[in-house]
Amino acid sequence: MLNESFNSENFRKNGHAIVDKLANYMKNLEDNQINEVLPPITPKQMLLNWDNNFQTKDFSLDKFTDEIITQSNHLHHPKYIGHQVSAPLPLASLFDMMSSLLNNGAAIYEMGPVSTIMEKEL
């Protein structure tokens, strides 16, 4: 099971599926297919939606990502006014993914050489 979690082909397949899902999401926003900026759900309802969601044996990446997108704030929506946070550039999110996988912090050079230098330069 642990080897499967770190399998490069599983990562590639899941990564492509998620990027495709997010690109379709962005296209739906461009085409005005998503009406709400914020999910029309109370915190209590949201909690009930996710109750025991991580304990299922029949996990579906497709269903899971759909739920996350549907129940998120849509910061890229044309009607979002950037009240508290701005919408990230799509390319920046890909670099965030890269940073997350490599997990090289910028606290000290030994733990994140390129991250430390990039932060210093920026």
Side-chain angles (χ1 to χ4, degrees):
M1 176 107 164
L2 187 59
N3 286 341
E4 189 175 315
S5 296
F6 288 94
N7 180 283
S8 61
E9 286 309 310
N10 287 343
F11 175 74
R12 183 183 320 280
K13 182 180 119 196
N14 291 333
H16 284 287
I18 290 171
V19 168
D20 286 345
K21 175 85 63 174
L22 290 172
N24 289 338
Y25 163 71
M26 291 176 62
K27 180 68 173 147
N28 287 339
L29 287 168
E30 290 170 12
D31 294 343
N32 295 314
Q33 299 296 313
I34 297 174
N35 296 321
E36 299 93 10
V37 174
L38 307 176
I41 188 170
T42 67
K44 187 175 183 176
Q45 291 170 314
M46 180 81 73
L47 185 58
L48 290 173
N49 282 354
W50 288 90
D51 188 35
N52 294 319
N53 202 27
F54 299 103
Q55 297 177 13
T56 180
K57 292 181 179 161
D58 57 337
F59 175 80
S60 163
L61 181 66
D62 190 52
K63 181 180 176 206
F64 187 68
T65 53
D66 279 345
E67 288 181 25
I68 291 171
I69 290 171
T70 302
Q71 297 176 33
S72 291
N73 294 339
H74 304 299
L75 304 184
H76 295 88
H77 194 285
K79 294 181 181 173
Y80 180 70
I81 60 170
H83 172 63
Q84 292 179 329
V85 294
S86 61
L89 292 171
L91 183 59
S93 68
L94 296 177
F95 286 115
D96 189 46
M97 178 180 73
M98 185 178 202
S99 177
S100 293
L101 179 72
L102 296 173
N103 197 21
N104 283 210
I108 58 172
Y109 181 80
E110 291 80 8
M111 294 305 299
V114 72
S115 304
T116 305
I117 298 305
M118 284 176 32
E119 185 171 294
K120 180 179 175 23
E121 288 301 312
L122 287 172

